[in-house]
Structure formats: structure tokens, C-alpha cells
Amino acid sequence: MAPDRRKMIVAAATKSFSLFGYKATTMDQVAKLANVGKGTIYTFFKNKEELFEEIISSLVREMIVEADSVIQPKLPFTENVHRALYRLLEFRSQHQLMIKLVQEEAEMGTLAVSEMLQHVENEIIAYLKQKIETAISKGAIPAANTEITSFLLLKMYIALVSDWERNHAPLSSEQIAEIMKVFLLQGLPT
Amino acid sequence: MAPDRRKMIVAAATKSFSLFGYKATTMDQVAKLANVGKGTIYTFFKNKEELFEEIISSLVREMIVEADSVIQPKLPFTENVHRALYRLLEFRSQHQLMIKLVQEEAEMGTLAVSEMLQHVENEIIAYLKQKIETAISKGAIPAANTEITSFLLLKMYIALVSDWERNHAPLSSEQIAEIMKVFLLQGLPT
DNA sequence: GATATGACCAAAGAACTAAATTAGTCAATG
DNA sequence: CATTGACTAATTTAGTTCTTTGGTCATATC
């Protein structure tokens, strides 16, 4: 009977953002959903955007857990990169909040949303970069500019998974894996 | 003293599109610039969009001439692909009409402009595809899915040239060439 | 009679405004 | 002293008028 108000607020906001998007979610709505006075929200968060940031941070942590869960140390490195990336993009295309935000950016161009999605992309690149660096230090793959490599990996993935489907039939997971393997296995860009 | 009205119209429209963009160009303006009655435009073109199409077609032809002009048969295939792609993107970033259209798409999302840019992209991919196919038939590079390869090549290029600069210092032409060479030289995606 | 023209029209869009909504504050409350 | 919701300044929406624009066509020109 002493509910954690902070958690209730975050839960309510997450639900509302997922359902209606960022702009269409009002603080009154969040307060009502969380069974909390509106003022209370502002004792935990400086403003709407900061509340949003906290939720996105959780989402990123969740994504990384997902990606890690799919990695199997015994598999070759390239296979694991593929698995992780595939899981990440699958996550992005299945998670309600992500779907809503991507949609909101496309059709309304909400600034705060664009910034958050860019942030998520950067987090994914940082994650990849770290994986690549440890693989290099273990001698699993040749040395390379890890920043460019992780950046390109993600861009290629997005191109193959999203952009490609604008004009062509979707590629199978196997085809994508094959393309990525070629790219990663051979000498990486220096 | 018998000016080719059609050419005057196209020239006027090209100038106006380059200067003000597609939406902000009015048919009255084009008519005035071309020293022609507005109705005359409609004896040559069904509507504004068709006039736009004609101009974009010329632009694409111009781009292909540019790309071809930079190819030297004696150089290795990968080097030529790099040169052609680099020239194409340079063209895109220097040509007034292209600059204006890209800008208009970004900040106003004009539908007709988006469609045209997509069309230009498809033309570039078709051009690359054809180059790759002849190279394969000559045994210069291993066989591959040319559609995916040309698609990916362009996407990678755009990512490296445009997207990368959003968060990093620009890459040198040499760096870009190196990355592309790795990708193209090794086995291509099947 | 073939071609060119610009006044004209319907439709789309801009500009303006009033009304409604909303993020954030703060004096009152328990 | 943590919580609240009525309050406010600022933004957004909705409704309306006024303007602009793509496209047509009757008239003028050669």
C-alpha cells in the first residue's frame, strides 16, 4: 500500500508513449494513468523530455540484454555479430514503443523523437564497436577502424532490412548473414 | 527570332527549380521567365510534374556522362567503380538543382520531389548494375547478385559521405576508396 | 487554321483568429 | 514535507476567410 510512485510514473508513461507516441501523450494522462498528482511527476523528472530519456535508456539496456542473450561464445565471431544485429533489428521492429516512435518520426517529424532515435542508433554502434574491439584483441578478426566498421555494419543492415524492401522482395536471414559475413570476414577497412 | 519555345520553357523551369525548389516555382513564373504565355507550357507538357520529369531525365543523363567521363579502361575495375561513384556523389552535392531538391525534401517533404529523388537513386543503381555485369562477364570480378551489390554499394557510399558526417569528421576520398575496394574485391555477396 | 495567349475558375493553401489544450508551477493540504 | 490539482503562460488546434496556383479555353494573332 506504499506504491513506488516513481515506478508507477515510468510504467504509465511507457505505456502511453507506446500507445499514442511522444507528442500525443500528455502529462495529465500520465499522472492519471499512474494514479498520481501531476506535480508528483515533476518531483522525479525535470520535464517531459527527461522522463522520455529515462524510458529510452531502459529500452536501450533491454536491447543490449536481448543482443547478448543470442550470442554463443562457441560460434565464430561473424556469426555472432550477425545474430546480435539481427536480434537488435528484430527487437526494433517488434517492440511497441519503437514501432510507435519510428512511425511518429516518419509522419510527424517530432524533434524530441528524432533525437532519441539517433541516440538509440549511436548506442547500438557503441555496442557493436565494443564487441569488435574485443574480437580484434583476441585475434579473431584482423585489426580495423572499429568506429567506421561498426557504423557501416549497422547502416548495411538497415539498408538490407528496411530500404531494400521498399523496392524488392525481403531478403532471407541467410542471405543477409552471407552478405555480412563477406564484409566482416575479409580485411576490414583500415 | 524564332526562339524554340520548348527549350526556353525547359531552361526557365530548370533555373527556377534550382533557385526556389519545386513547390515554390509557379507556372506563371516559369511562363514569365520563358517569355511565353502560360498556356503554351501546356501544349508541350501535360502538367507541372511532367515538366519536372523531363528536367530530371536530363539531369540523370548528365550524371551518367559525368560518371563515364571519369572511367579509364586501363585502371582496375574497383578503382573505376570508386571513381564513378565518387563523381556521382560529387555531382549530387555540387549541382544547384540537386542541392535544392535534397533540401526541399528534407525540410518540406514535398511528395513529387521525394519520388524524383528516389527515381534518380534507382537510375544510379541501374547504371552501377550494368557496369558490374559487364565486369563479371569479362571475368574482372567474381560473379554475384548484381542487384544487391549495386544497391549496397550506393547505400554504403551515401552512408560514408553523408550520414557519417553527421557525427564525425569527413572521410578522405582515399579512405572511402579503400573501404569500397575491400568490399568489392573480396567475394561479392551471392 | 494552327498556334499562342492570358483572363478565368476550381481547388489547394496561407493567414488569421478564437478556443482549447498542455507543460510546468506553487500555494494549499493532510 | 511529500503530494496535490487549480492555475497560468504558452503552444496547438479548429474554424474561417482570403490568396495563390495549376490547369482550361475562348479569343487574338499570324
Side-chain angles (χ1 to χ4, degrees):
Chain A
M1 215 31 195
D4 183 339
R5 302 183 124 74
R6 195 175 199 285
K7 273 184 186 158
M8 310 225 30
I9 291 166
V10 170
T14 304
K15 192 172 182 179
S16 187
F17 286 147
S18 301
L19 235 46
F20 310 114
Y22 178 74
K23 254 206 81 180
T25 290
T26 72
M27 295 303 259
D28 279 294
Q29 204 174 69
V30 172
K32 204 155 280 174
L33 251 169
N35 272 106
V36 142
K38 186 160 63 153
T40 307
I41 300 179
Y42 288 88
T43 67
F44 293 114
F45 303 95
K46 212 176 83 220
N47 52 37
K48 188 180 181 181
E49 196 150 354
E50 209 175 72
L51 172 59
F52 188 36
E53 268 165 36
E54 165 127 352
I55 289 170
I56 294 295
S57 288
S58 300
L59 188 97
V60 168
R61 276 195 299 276
E62 218 187 312
M63 288 180 85
I64 288 178
V65 168
E66 280 292 317
D68 278 338
S69 80
V70 104
I71 289 178
Q72 297 180 1
K74 288 169 191 172
L75 291 174
F77 173 72
T78 55
E79 179 63 21
N80 274 329
V81 170
H82 168 56
R83 285 165 147 258
L85 266 173
Y86 205 78
R87 193 76 200 86
L88 284 172
L89 292 191
E90 202 176 45
F91 183 95
R92 200 182 76 158
S93 72
Q94 283 175 0
H95 213 274
Q96 188 55 45
L97 177 54
M98 265 299 182
I99 294 171
K100 199 70 203 179
L101 293 179
V102 168
Q103 181 191 333
E104 185 173 350
E105 161 161 65
E107 52 193 48
M108 317 183 38
T110 315
L111 185 66
V113 172
S114 297
E115 286 171 357
M116 278 305 151
L117 289 177
Q118 180 66 52
H119 172 70
V120 171
E121 190 175 306
N122 290 340
E123 293 275 7
I124 294 179
I125 291 176
Y127 171 80
L128 288 176
K129 190 179 167 196
Q130 180 216 313
K131 293 285 173 197
I132 292 172
E133 274 162 5
T134 66
I136 290 175
S137 74
K138 283 181 186 164
I141 55 170
N145 181 324
T146 54
E147 182 75 24
I148 296 181
T149 304
S150 47
F151 168 82
L152 263 188
L153 267 180
L154 181 60
K155 288 293 176 186
M156 277 179 56
Y157 241 80
I158 290 176
L160 289 171
V161 173
S162 310
D163 300 353
W164 177 264
E165 295 184 4
R166 236 186 286 284
N167 292 311
H168 305 81
L171 298 165
S172 70
S173 170
E174 287 74 29
Q175 285 177 291
I176 294 177
E178 181 59 30
I179 294 168
M180 201 219 61
K181 196 178 294 174
V182 167
F183 178 75
L184 244 196
L185 259 189
Q186 316 294 355
L188 292 157
T190 318
Chain B
M1 217 31 198
D4 183 337
R5 304 185 123 74
R6 195 174 199 283
K7 272 185 186 160
M8 310 226 28
I9 291 167
V10 170
T14 303
K15 192 172 182 178
S16 187
F17 286 148
S18 301
L19 236 45
F20 309 113
Y22 179 74
K23 251 206 83 178
T25 290
T26 71
M27 295 304 260
D28 279 293
Q29 205 174 68
V30 173
K32 205 156 279 174
L33 251 171
N35 273 106
V36 142
K38 186 162 65 154
T40 308
I41 300 178
Y42 288 87
T43 66
F44 293 112
F45 303 94
K46 212 176 82 219
N47 52 34
K48 188 180 180 181
E49 195 150 356
E50 208 174 73
L51 173 57
F52 189 36
E53 268 165 36
E54 165 128 351
I55 289 170
I56 294 295
S57 289
S58 298
L59 188 98
V60 168
R61 274 195 300 275
E62 220 186 310
M63 287 180 85
I64 288 178
V65 169
E66 280 293 316
D68 278 336
S69 80
V70 104
I71 289 178
Q72 296 179 2
K74 289 169 190 172
L75 291 175
F77 172 72
T78 55
E79 179 64 21
N80 274 329
V81 170
H82 167 56
R83 284 166 147 260
L85 265 173
Y86 204 78
R87 192 77 202 85
L88 284 172
L89 291 192
E90 201 175 48
F91 184 95
R92 199 183 77 160
S93 71
Q94 284 175 0
H95 213 274
Q96 187 56 44
L97 177 55
M98 265 300 181
I99 294 170
K100 199 71 202 177
L101 293 179
V102 168
Q103 180 192 333
E104 185 172 351
E105 161 160 66
E107 52 193 49
M108 317 182 37
T110 315
L111 185 66
V113 172
S114 297
E115 286 172 355
M116 278 305 151
L117 289 178
Q118 180 66 52
H119 172 70
V120 171
E121 192 175 305
N122 289 341
E123 294 274 6
I124 294 179
I125 290 176
Y127 172 80
L128 288 175
K129 189 179 168 196
Q130 179 215 315
K131 294 287 173 194
I132 292 173
E133 275 162 3
T134 65
I136 290 175
S137 75
K138 284 179 185 165
I141 55 170
N145 180 324
T146 53
E147 182 76 22
I148 295 182
T149 303
S150 47
F151 169 81
L152 262 188
L153 268 180
L154 181 60
K155 288 294 177 185
M156 278 180 57
Y157 242 80
I158 290 175
L160 288 172
V161 173
S162 311
D163 300 352
W164 177 263
E165 296 184 6
R166 237 185 284 284
N167 293 309
H168 306 81
L171 298 165
S172 69
S173 169
E174 288 74 29
Q175 286 176 290
I176 295 178
E178 180 59 30
I179 293 168
M180 202 220 61
K181 197 179 293 175
V182 167
F183 177 76
L184 244 196
L185 259 188
Q186 317 293 354
L188 291 157
T190 318

